[in-house]
């Protein structure tokens, strides 16, 4: 997201010159345990505890059940709301500026992240493609249950029940309602490509509508998972009909399944931060914050803190 933020700042400066066109010390987290779904989409963070602030104070618990800090950040903080609105505002500005000419932003079949090639646009209508969970909608109801028992493993049966019946307990990601309306008014189709189950399509459609994001039709502007696998086949099908001028998600698999094939956290970060891919963040690909679950939450100590970047507090040694 650092590259994306830099791209947003550069883009804002250029636009100003050209005319319109799942941490504070309190929330710093130790390495947690993790559980994954079969498709690599969901990771539940466990065992997290907030550390004291520099003055020694601790965050006040919410009643008898303190909220784990990762949930506090994503679902309760002004900072997460600001990040989400920032990403959506930049996405709308980029999509409006981007014309339906040249190539789109969906990787062509057989392309690689090192040498990306794109599905062309020709005379196709424009579209922006979004993930659903924690990108367009916040799953407040089911995540409130998870926050009360963060050590519990991810429950696939419970999640299926949530998809079917949880519409009234969702909320829009900050900025999503306004962004979807602005895109539609500019003639840019809004398409949701989610790994929610096709069997629970009615519940997903109800949830998107309840969140104020509009009406969606399966197979037209809503694409869901039907069996194992990632999102690339659905992305290719969307790109065959539309010039995809922007994409947004909270996991890198929301942009290409190729990211999910990289096992090492360090390699995954390197690939995202080098070459042509590095230039896409904020320039067509937009990431939403999610410290609660997902493929970002992995990496051993040496991967997260390289040995060449360690520091010893010699005065603090005893």
């Amino acid at each position: 997201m650092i590259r994306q933020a830099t791209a947003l700042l550069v883009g804002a400066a250029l636009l100003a010159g050209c005319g319109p066109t799942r941490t504070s010390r309190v929330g710093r987290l130790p390495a947690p345990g993790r559980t994954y779904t079969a498709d690599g989409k969901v990771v539940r963070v466990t065992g997290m505890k907030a550390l004291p602030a520099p003055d020694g104070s601790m965050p006040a618990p919410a009643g008898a059940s303190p909220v784990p800090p990762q949930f506090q950040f994503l679902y309760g903080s002004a900072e997460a709301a600001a990040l989400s609105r920032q990403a959506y505002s930049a996405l709308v500005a980029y999509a409006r500026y981007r014309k339906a000419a040249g190539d789109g932003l969906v990787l062509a079949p057989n392309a690689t992240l090192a040498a990306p090639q794109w599905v062309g646009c020709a005379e196709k209508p424009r579209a922006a493609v979004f993930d659903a969970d924690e990108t367009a909608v916040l799953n407040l109801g089911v995540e409130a249950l998870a926050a009360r028992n963060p050590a519990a493993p991810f429950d696939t049966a419970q999640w299926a029940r949530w998809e079917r019946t949880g519409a009234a307990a969702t909320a829009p990601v900050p900025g999503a309602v306004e962004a979807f309306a602005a895109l539609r008014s500019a003639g840019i189709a809004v398409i949701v490509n989610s790994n929610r189950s096709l069997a629970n399509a009615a519940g997903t459609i109800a949830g998107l509508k309840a969140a104020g994001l509009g009406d969606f039709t399966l197979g037209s502007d809503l694409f869901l998972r039907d069996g194992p696998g990632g999102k690339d086949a659905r992305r290719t099908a969307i790109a065959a009909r539309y010039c995809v001028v922007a994409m947004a998600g909270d996991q890198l698999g929301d942009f290409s399944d190729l990211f999910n094939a990289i096992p090492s956290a360090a390699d995954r970060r390197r690939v995202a931060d080098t070459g042509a891919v590095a230039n896409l963040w904020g320039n067509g690909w937009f990431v939403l914050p999610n410290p609660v679950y997902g493929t970002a939450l992995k990496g051993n100590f040496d991967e997260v803190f390289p040995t060449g970047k360690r520091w010893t507090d010699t005065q603090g040694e005893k």
Side-chain angles (χ1 to χ4, degrees):
M1 292 188 71
I2 293 173
R3 280 191 175 272
Q4 176 171 289
T6 302
L8 302 186
L9 288 171
V10 172
L14 291 174
L15 290 174
C18 299
T21 48
R22 302 239 205 147
T23 308
S24 68
R25 178 174 291 275
V26 171
R28 194 171 65 188
L29 308 175
R34 296 170 294 277
T35 56
Y36 294 75
T37 61
D39 63 3
K41 169 68 175 175
V42 178
V43 180
R44 178 70 59 214
V45 183
T46 64
M48 289 189 165
K49 295 181 180 179
L51 299 182
D55 63 2
S57 64
M58 292 293 291
S65 301
V67 180
Q70 69 274 23
F71 293 86
Q72 286 178 323
F73 178 82
L74 184 58
Y75 301 113
S77 78
E79 287 81 357
L83 279 171
S84 298
R85 285 193 173 274
Q86 176 176 277
Y88 268 115
S89 177
L91 184 150
V92 170
Y94 183 89
R96 282 173 168 167
Y97 172 78
R98 179 76 180 262
K99 303 301 180 183
D103 293 332
L105 290 163
V106 172
L107 283 170
N110 302 319
T112 67
L113 294 172
Q117 296 178 349
W118 312 98
V119 178
C121 280
E123 300 300 321
K124 302 170 189 173
R126 289 179 296 167
V129 179
F130 300 87
D131 175 47
D133 299 310
E134 276 58 59
T135 295
V137 296
L138 295 175
N139 294 293
L140 293 177
V142 72
E143 294 302 339
L145 295 179
R148 290 186 182 278
N149 187 14
F154 178 73
D155 186 338
T156 55
Q158 181 187 70
W159 181 262
R161 294 192 296 273
W162 165 254
E163 288 187 1
R164 291 194 298 270
T165 66
T170 62
V173 168
V177 171
E178 297 86 346
F180 281 23
L183 290 168
R184 287 168 175 145
S185 69
I188 301 169
V190 172
I191 297 176
V192 171
N193 181 16
S194 171
N195 272 340
R196 285 188 173 211
S197 173
L198 179 63
N200 302 324
T204 294
I205 291 170
L208 291 167
K209 187 174 181 65
L213 298 171
D215 294 310
F216 287 83
T217 301
L218 190 64
S220 176
D221 52 12
L222 175 63
F223 294 80
L224 301 174
R225 177 175 55 83
D226 183 15
K231 294 185 172 183
D232 277 350
R234 280 171 271 150
R235 270 187 287 264
T236 300
I238 294 166
R241 295 162 52 186
Y242 291 95
C243 175
V244 177
V245 295
M247 291 199 293
D250 63 309
Q251 316 286 326
L252 294 194
D254 295 329
F255 305 93
S256 171
D257 292 342
L258 294 174
F259 288 110
N260 295 334
I262 305 173
S264 162
D267 287 343
R268 195 165 176 267
R269 183 179 175 100
R270 175 184 53 76
V271 169
D273 197 35
T274 57
V277 170
N279 294 322
L280 289 166
W281 311 118
N283 290 306
W285 288 4
F286 297 85
V287 182
L288 279 293
N290 186 354
V292 174
Y293 65 82
T295 52
L297 304 181
K298 62 181 179 180
N300 60 39
F301 196 90
D302 288 340
E303 287 179 312
V304 176
F305 300 104
T307 55
K309 297 295 182 181
R310 305 287 171 82
W311 174 68
T312 302
D313 184 4
T314 56
Q315 293 186 356
E317 292 180 343
K318 295 182 180 180

